[in-house]
Amino acid sequence: MFFDAPDFDAHESVHVAHDAASGLKTIIAIHSTHLGPAAGGVRHWAYADDAAALTDALRLSRGMSYKNAMAGLPMGGGKAVVLNDAPKTDAMLEAFGAVIEGLGGRYVTAEDVGMSDRDMTVIARRTAHVSGLPVSGNRPVGGNPGPWTAQGVFVGLRAAVAHKLGRHDLSGVHVAVQGVGSVGGALARKLAAAGARLTLADIDAARAAALAAELGAAHVPVEGITRVAADVFSPNALGAVLDAETIAALNVAVVAGAANNQLAAAGDGARIAARGILYAPDYVINAGGIINVVAEYLGGSSIETVSQQIAAIEGRLADIFVAADRGGQPTDAVADAMARRLIGR
Ligand code: NAD
């Protein structure tokens, strides 16, 4: 029921904790500490049942091992989920901080879905092993990771366009952007500044319309965005957006965006490759945020060194694309194999 669970991947440890006073229920999965302490955010989410929460923690923590290794960070992979069975209070966040502290630094937390940088400051009352705190005088890097993630997606998208279309600047390149929130909004602004032509969509239609007006872009209803005829589809909203149906309908040469777990099922990477579309593996292109979070945690970095680390995403993706062409393999399979080698699996 556990060691033979489909998403169990020789995780080093999984911790389940409960605090009766605050109602905290949390699962912390440590996939690998081969390269360093396990780093990955904490998600506050309403799960259908405990098994779904465990599955999420197992899957997300393995993804963090891959992401941190491929970003060249001295960190392993972990992830925490806090069940949304009781309201998120400061008492619950402090209890969560105490659980993290009890792990003695094997796991380092930060914000994920349902958590804010303010929440991280509450967790920090009880543990030193937390990052993603607001930027302050003595902490030049940190804060909202969204703009840093957008910076990495921008250079990664540029690498994909160069490889697939042989174009070395984005002027006139048409990008269909799904989701214009923290990352997608910042990315759209960078793309517009680089001269790209944009089509935007967001379930918050007013948000997409306002940004489209600001940037001189087009906007379409959410149902249509995966079918827009463009050079690039950039998913920056939900996971599992690339499945057999959406892949068959894609009308682009490149898929490059920030969303986590874009491929709905094993085999979807091969499906994209079979259509002649170049896919930028999600955990490689969207590492800008974790690069900034880890720089904050380890200390001693400047905005310039963080920017340099994020700029390296461009060359890393170019190497993956070349290796995929050479081996006749899908890009996600090439990246997975590289990541597993780095974590000693
Ligand atoms: P966000 O909540 O700020 O923005 C998401 C946007 O997508 C919102 O504007 C939302 O209205 C929109 N949206 C939701 N469902 C949609 C749909 N079906 N169609 C179109 N739009 C939809 O989140 P974010 O921080 O920008 O993150 C976006 C994605 O990138 C997520 O998958 C996240 O896991 C991933 N990611 C984010 C970071 C980061 O630093 N924030 C880092 C790595 C990966």
Side-chain angles (χ1 to χ4, degrees):
M1 169 282 133
F2 178 78
F3 292 111
D4 59 1
D7 291 294
F8 181 74
D9 177 44
H11 286 68
E12 288 180 15
S13 60
V14 178
H15 308 265
V16 179
H18 175 236
D19 175 61
S22 65
L24 171 74
K25 287 183 188 166
T26 182
I27 301 174
I28 301 165
I30 295 179
H31 177 254
S32 169
T33 58
H34 184 77
L35 294 173
V42 51
R43 177 168 292 195
H44 184 242
W45 194 252
Y47 291 99
D49 52 34
D50 296 355
L54 175 65
T55 297
D56 213 27
L58 291 175
R59 201 175 281 170
L60 291 166
S61 60
R62 181 186 54 200
M64 289 311 302
S65 287
Y66 289 12
K67 185 185 296 201
N68 294 339
M70 290 299 279
L73 297 170
M75 306 300 276
K79 198 89 180 185
V81 300
V82 169
L83 279 62
N84 189 10
D85 293 7
K88 187 180 73 180
T89 59
D90 283 9
M92 180 187 279
L93 292 167
E94 286 190 21
F96 177 72
V99 174
I100 302 299
E101 189 60 20
L103 297 176
R106 286 189 72 230
Y107 168 66
V108 180
T109 200
E111 60 254 58
D112 193 63
V113 179
M115 291 281 178
S116 66
D117 54 0
R118 192 249 163 207
D119 293 336
M120 296 306 113
T121 64
V122 180
I123 293 169
R125 292 176 193 159
R126 300 291 293 277
T127 183
H129 307 298
V130 54
S131 193
L133 301 163
V135 177
S136 70
N138 58 358
R139 208 170 37 237
V141 297
N144 175 13
W148 298 98
T149 302
Q151 193 172 319
V153 175
F154 178 77
V155 298
L157 189 151
R158 196 164 59 189
V161 166
H163 185 86
K164 185 72 188 172
L165 302 174
R167 294 171 66 167
H168 294 277
D169 80 81
L170 295 174
S171 176
V173 170
H174 184 188
V175 185
V177 182
Q178 180 187 48
V180 290
S182 173
V183 179
L187 174 68
R189 287 194 172 86
K190 279 179 180 297
L191 290 168
R197 195 179 133 209
L198 299 175
T199 300
L200 313 177
D202 197 294
I203 41 165
D204 184 341
R207 180 181 287 175
L211 189 63
E214 178 193 322
L215 301 178
H219 63 99
V220 296
V222 282
E223 308 75 48
I225 193 70
T226 53
R227 293 191 297 274
V228 170
D231 297 304
V232 181
F233 170 58
S234 183
N236 300 285
L238 308 171
V241 64
L242 299 166
D243 59 19
E245 196 181 325
T246 51
I247 291 167
L250 283 174
N251 200 354
V252 291
V254 167
V255 174
N260 278 312
N261 302 323
Q262 291 169 32
L263 305 176
D268 285 333
R271 254 189 211 108
I272 297 174
R275 285 215 50 215
I277 297 169
L278 181 65
Y279 168 66
D282 46 12
Y283 60 82
V284 181
I285 195 172
N286 73 13
I290 190 75
I291 288 171
N292 181 54
V293 158
V294 168
E296 174 195 340
Y297 179 70
L298 297 176
S301 284
S302 63
I303 287 180
E304 289 70 33
T305 53
V306 170
S307 294
Q308 282 165 8
Q309 279 178 283
I310 293 174
I313 290 172
E314 187 163 8
R316 195 168 292 127
L317 279 168
D319 290 346
I320 291 170
F321 299 150
V322 169
D325 284 352
R326 202 175 285 147
Q329 275 185 294
T331 52
D332 63 312
V334 169
D336 286 0
M338 284 181 176
R340 290 190 81 79
R341 257 196 314 278
L342 288 170
I343 63 170
R345 299 283 177 99

